[in-house]
Amino acid sequence: MNRIVIPFFIALASFPSTAQEKWSLERCIQHAKENNLQVKQTQISQSLAKNQLTQAKADFYPNLNSDLSYGVNFGRSIDPTTYDFVTQQIQTSSVSLSSGVTLFSGLNKVNALKQSKYDVLSSQYATEDVASSISLSITSAFLQILLSNEENKKAEERLKLSAQQVEQTSKLVAAGVLPEGNLLDVQAQQAADSLAFIISKNAIELSKLNLALLLQLEEPAAFDVEIPEVTVTAPAYLNELNAENVYTTALNNQASVKSANYSVLSAERRWRAAQGLYFPSLSLYYSLRTNHSSIAKKIDAEISEQNPVIGYVDDANLTPVRSLYDFTTPVYVDAPFLGQYSDNLNHTLGLRLTVPIFNSMQTRMAVKNMELQAVKAKYSLKTVQDRLKSDVYAAYADAKAAYQKYQASKNSVSALEKSFEYVTKKFSLGAATTLEYSTASTNLAAAQSELIKSKYEYIFKLKVLDYYLGNPITLN
């Protein structure tokens, strides 16, 4: 039964899957930068900062506002067109256009503009920092796939070897050279290797699924990656540089530090902008206004009279008394709607000086709060720098330790391979027990697994150093 089942598993593992596009590490990283939700959230914050910058620039422009009103007055009121008191219902309307521009405001707007520029840069580098962190997560998940794939190959090799050992032991048992118990032992070892192979095969699929979920793909089951040739060498900067050199480089190129730096500059400008509220502000304004009234009248015609009678002499005949001058009597009609708007135009141009005296200590508290925010931003920058230094020193030490661990694992595997080869020859000749063979095989498998893990652990530690040194993350 085992002779049929084991080759079936091996054939199944090597059977090509449905053709599909395979993803490289670079493509995975680029996809994550463009589609990851955390990156998109920081991009929204960046867009909000840009909108605020646009608003800060627009604050220097003159404003322009229009006002339309309509009302009905009852009882005694003032006709807005003649300013006479009347006691009747009046329908009135008015139109106004006003504009103003600030000439000086204690440099409040100037500092607010600079603050907005720093906010844009801070949010931009915050986005880059999130994208870089996502890149490391993607790299770790990608390397886990390579690790699982390599462990699966080793498991497949051990499974083939145990199958050969079963076949050889069967012949020796049939020839009477070895007892049947030895065959049962190697068959048990073959079953254990078969289980290890199946587990390693499943680990590949789980690793791929984990990366596909990190990439937020719609069809994670159809996802597959390219398996590049990865060579392990000791990079020159492990020997040429030290942790302090790496930290100095990281301090100048890390997006998190740049973002915190611009946050400090922004907080300082916000503080200065608040201080500008202590100063008087000067603005220029202009307004245009006109109105209409339903009882407004206009002169339609004039009636002229020559020397009109202005009185009578109280005599027997009531003799009329005429004026020495001619009189003209105007004839009024309702004023047209549009005509009133053109006739009642009023222009105003002026300067307005606003001097702050007391506003319930709002300005004073705002200035103090902005000062505290500036100090807080400096502390945040120092925290980022300290955390970066700690991470860099740890990453450098981890990389060196990982390389030493990898070298030690290589030496261990090399020694155990020779030991296993020696035990295998003795076992084939019947000079070694099944326990000795099984122990040698298990020790070699454990050492090989540890070597693979140390290899990819070291590669990932190098990628972390590349991240701090500002190098692109690639496996080429």
Side-chain angles (χ1 to χ4, degrees):
M1 179 65 179
N2 285 333
R3 295 183 181 182
I4 299 176
V5 174
I6 303 307
F8 171 76
F9 280 121
I10 298 176
L12 181 64
S14 60
F15 190 82
S17 59
T18 304
Q20 56 186 334
E21 186 179 5
K22 295 185 178 183
W23 291 49
S24 64
L25 173 60
E26 291 78 9
R27 182 183 174 185
C28 291
I29 291 176
Q30 186 61 34
H31 177 87
K33 288 181 177 180
E34 294 174 356
N35 299 277
N36 184 268
L37 292 181
Q38 293 182 24
V39 176
K40 287 183 177 295
Q41 287 176 344
T42 56
Q43 287 173 342
I44 290 177
S45 298
Q46 186 176 343
S47 297
L48 291 173
K50 289 181 178 179
N51 290 342
Q52 187 61 40
L53 175 59
T54 302
Q55 180 61 62
K57 292 178 180 179
D59 285 342
F60 287 90
Y61 304 152
N63 60 57
L64 181 64
N65 299 288
S66 178
D67 179 73
L68 303 174
S69 66
Y70 169 82
V72 180
N73 298 331
F74 301 91
R76 185 173 176 82
S77 58
I78 297 178
D79 183 352
T81 59
T82 64
Y83 296 100
D84 292 333
F85 282 98
V86 294
T87 306
Q88 66 182 90
Q89 178 179 311
I90 308 175
Q91 297 184 47
T92 61
S93 64
S94 66
V95 178
S96 67
L97 190 67
S98 62
S99 178
V101 60
T102 301
L103 302 178
F104 178 77
S105 60
L107 299 181
N108 176 274
K109 292 185 178 181
V110 173
N111 286 306
L113 176 61
K114 292 181 179 179
Q115 171 208 329
S116 298
K117 290 180 179 179
Y118 291 139
D119 285 339
V120 169
L121 292 171
S122 178
S123 60
Q124 174 184 329
Y125 284 114
T127 301
E128 290 185 14
D129 182 52
V130 172
S132 298
S133 298
I134 294 297
S135 299
L136 282 181
S137 299
I138 296 298
T139 302
S140 176
F142 194 94
L143 290 175
Q144 182 61 47
I145 296 176
L146 302 187
L147 186 154
S148 299
N149 184 71
E150 196 162 328
E151 285 191 327
N152 176 254
K153 288 182 178 180
K154 288 297 181 182
E156 183 178 355
E157 291 176 2
R158 289 193 296 271
L159 183 57
K160 289 180 179 179
L161 182 61
S162 61
Q164 294 173 0
Q165 197 64 44
V166 167
E167 182 178 358
Q168 184 177 1
T169 304
S170 297
K171 293 179 181 179
L172 293 175
V173 169
V177 177
L178 295 175
E180 188 175 357
N182 284 27
L183 177 61
L184 296 176
D185 288 337
V186 293
Q187 286 177 338
Q189 181 63 44
Q190 184 185 36
D193 291 340
S194 175
L195 177 61
F197 173 75
I198 294 173
I199 292 175
S200 65
K201 186 68 177 177
N202 186 55
I204 296 176
E205 299 305 317
L206 290 177
S207 300
K208 290 179 181 179
L209 178 61
N210 179 53
L211 179 55
L213 293 176
L214 280 177
L215 294 173
Q216 299 170 336
L217 300 179
E218 294 182 357
E219 297 182 2
F223 174 73
D224 200 3
V225 301
E226 294 178 358
I227 305 297
E229 291 292 333
V230 181
T231 57
V232 181
T233 56
Y237 53 72
L238 271 182
N239 300 321
E240 297 174 358
L241 297 179
N242 53 41
E244 185 62 29
N245 298 137
V246 178
Y247 171 66
T248 301
T249 303
L251 201 59
N252 294 324
N253 63 38
Q254 280 298 293
S256 59
V257 178
K258 293 181 180 180
S259 177
N261 265 319
Y262 283 115
S263 292
V264 171
L265 296 175
S266 171
E268 290 176 345
R269 287 296 174 178
R270 191 182 300 114
W271 178 25
R272 293 185 184 182
Q275 290 174 330
L277 298 176
Y278 283 128
F279 294 87
S281 63
L282 179 65
S283 60
L284 174 68
Y285 67 90
Y286 168 79
S287 67
L288 173 67
R289 184 178 180 85
T290 185
N291 52 31
H292 153 268
S293 171
S294 62
I295 65 171
K297 305 292 184 181
K298 79 166 191 172
I299 298 175
D300 183 58
E302 293 182 344
I303 300 175
S304 299
E305 295 182 61
Q306 295 181 346
N307 306 115
V309 176
I310 60 174
Y312 296 88
V313 176
D314 188 12
D315 57 11
N317 297 321
L318 290 177
T319 304
V321 179
R322 291 184 175 276
S323 171
L324 297 177
Y325 306 98
D326 294 338
F327 272 66
T328 301
T329 304
V331 178
Y332 291 94
V333 296
D334 291 339
F337 180 80
L338 294 179
Q340 291 188 52
Y341 278 122
S342 61
D343 294 339
N344 298 330
L345 282 175
N346 173 266
H347 300 265
T348 304
L349 177 65
L351 292 171
R352 180 180 293 110
L353 179 65
T354 303
V355 181
I357 298 176
F358 181 74
N359 60 353
S360 302
M361 298 187 70
Q362 292 182 8
T363 301
R364 183 178 179 83
M365 290 300 102
V367 171
K368 284 187 173 294
N369 288 339
M370 292 305 101
E371 182 181 6
L372 292 174
Q373 290 292 342
V375 174
K376 182 180 178 181
K378 291 180 180 179
Y379 287 154
S380 297
L381 172 61
K382 187 63 169 62
T383 300
V384 171
Q385 292 173 336
D386 290 345
R387 183 170 62 247
L388 176 64
K389 187 171 187 177
S390 174
D391 292 344
V392 166
Y393 272 74
Y396 184 80
D398 286 346
K400 295 194 71 172
Y403 181 70
Q404 294 171 355
K405 180 180 178 181
Y406 171 69
Q407 292 296 332
S409 297
K410 283 179 62 177
N411 295 334
S412 176
V413 168
S414 178
L416 288 172
E417 283 177 342
K418 295 178 181 179
S419 174
F420 179 70
E421 182 180 357
Y422 176 71
V423 172
T424 301
K425 290 180 180 178
K426 289 180 61 179
F427 184 76
S428 299
L429 298 173
T433 65
T434 306
L435 178 60
E436 291 175 328
Y437 175 80
S438 176
T439 301
S441 176
T442 301
N443 290 340
L444 177 59
Q448 288 175 335
S449 177
E450 187 61 33
L451 174 61
I452 294 172
K453 291 178 181 177
S454 63
K455 170 186 174 181
Y456 286 101
E457 179 184 359
Y458 171 59
I459 293 174
F460 179 69
K461 298 301 182 183
L462 292 184
K463 299 303 114 179
V464 173
L465 281 183
D466 282 336
Y467 163 72
Y468 288 124
L469 290 168
N471 299 328
I473 297 179
T474 177
L475 296 178
N476 297 329

